Amino acid sequence: MGAGRARFQPDPRTGEARTSGAAASLAGLEQALDSGDEVAVDLAIRRVLLLHAIAFAHGGLPLVYMGDEIGLRNDHGYEADPARADDNRWMHRPPMDWAAAERRDDPATVEGRLWAGLRRLVAARRATRAVHAQGRSEPLWTGNDHVFGLLREHAGERLLVLASFTPEPQAVHIDVARGHGFAVTAAAADPDGRPLRVEGDFLVLAPYQHLWLRG
C-alpha cells in the first residue's frame, strides 16, 4: 500500500479496507527521516500539523493519539511477536519513546517542532468560541482546488479556516475572506506560526499552511 501504511481488514469482495499507520509515518515523516532529506522532513512536519489544524477547527473534541504530539513513527517490532504479528494496527501502537519526549522542548528537533505546533493549536482552539461543537459549520469554496475553506460560527464569534494541501504556494483571492466579513491581518497566520503573505488581491499560502481568520 506504500511506505508508512498498511491495509487492515480488506474486504476481498470490494477491496475496501482501513488504513494502519502512525500519523507521522502516514504523512511521510518516517520516509523523509530515513532519506535524510531535510526539505521532505519540513514538509512532512507541516502535513502533520495541517491535519491536526483541520481536526482542531471542527466541532467536538479533537483526538491526539499518543505519540502524535512528538511525531512517533511506525513500530514494526510487532512483526516478530507471534501474538501480534497478524494485526498490523500494532504499527501505530508503539511503546512510548521517553527519549523522544525529552526532546520536545528543543525547537531544533522534529519533536520540538511538532510539540510547539500542537501547543499553538491547543491555545488557538481554547481561545476560539466559534469551534464549539454546537456551532455552525459550513465548507467554503475558495476558488482554488488545493485550498480547503471552512466557516465556523458560535456565540457571536466567527472563524474562517483556509488550509493548503499542497507542497507549492497557493493563492486565494482576498475577497474570499473579505466577502464573508473577515479582515485580513497579520494575526491571521496563527496558529500556523508562519507570516501572512498578501500579494496584490491575493492571499498566498505557503506549502501546507493553514490560516485562522476571526470575525
Side-chain angles (χ1 to χ4, degrees):
M1 188 174 181
R5 54 184 174 166
R7 289 165 59 82
F8 176 70
Q9 289 185 338
D11 185 324
R13 183 176 60 86
T14 65
E16 184 271 337
R18 283 134 294 283
T19 300
S20 291
S25 294
L26 291 172
L29 182 57
E30 180 178 351
Q31 184 176 12
L33 288 169
D34 288 345
S35 71
D37 186 335
E38 289 299 320
V39 173
V41 169
D42 180 71
L43 292 175
I45 290 172
R46 291 297 175 186
R47 282 192 289 271
V48 173
L49 292 174
L50 172 67
L51 294 171
H52 280 90
I54 298 301
F56 274 60
H58 276 280
L61 186 67
L63 171 66
V64 179
Y65 204 82
M66 188 211 81
D68 285 355
E69 74 283 2
I70 55 172
L72 293 191
R73 274 82 72 194
N74 289 343
D75 175 27
H76 297 281
Y78 80 94
E79 296 170 350
D81 182 350
R84 298 186 297 158
D86 291 336
D87 188 344
N88 60 35
R89 289 176 299 179
W90 286 105
M91 68 194 302
H92 56 247
R93 296 170 178 170
M96 186 59 184
D97 186 339
W98 294 109
E102 288 294 324
R103 295 192 291 269
R104 69 188 184 277
D105 293 319
D106 182 350
T109 65
V110 168
E111 295 84 5
R113 294 175 63 187
L114 287 168
W115 178 253
L118 264 293
R119 285 174 62 87
R120 285 195 301 269
L121 284 170
V122 169
R125 181 181 169 86
R126 183 179 293 136
T128 308
R129 291 177 297 179
V131 298
H132 193 281
Q134 295 180 354
R136 185 174 69 89
S137 180
E138 178 186 348
L140 176 72
W141 168 239
T142 66
N144 184 327
D145 288 340
H146 305 294
V147 180
F148 172 73
L150 180 68
L151 281 168
R152 297 300 315 273
E153 184 174 359
H154 180 71
E157 183 177 277
R158 301 171 68 241
L159 174 72
L160 171 61
V161 177
L162 298 176
S164 174
F165 278 79
T166 74
E168 295 86 25
Q170 296 293 331
V172 174
H173 200 283
I174 206 164
D175 283 348
V176 171
R178 290 178 176 168
H180 287 84
F182 291 90
V184 178
T185 66
D190 290 335
D192 179 89
R194 285 175 287 182
L196 180 69
R197 179 179 164 193
V198 179
E199 295 185 359
D201 293 330
F202 291 88
L203 279 167
V204 180
L205 280 73
Y208 301 114
Q209 186 170 15
H210 54 272
L211 304 177
W212 287 28
L213 304 175
R214 294 172 175 81

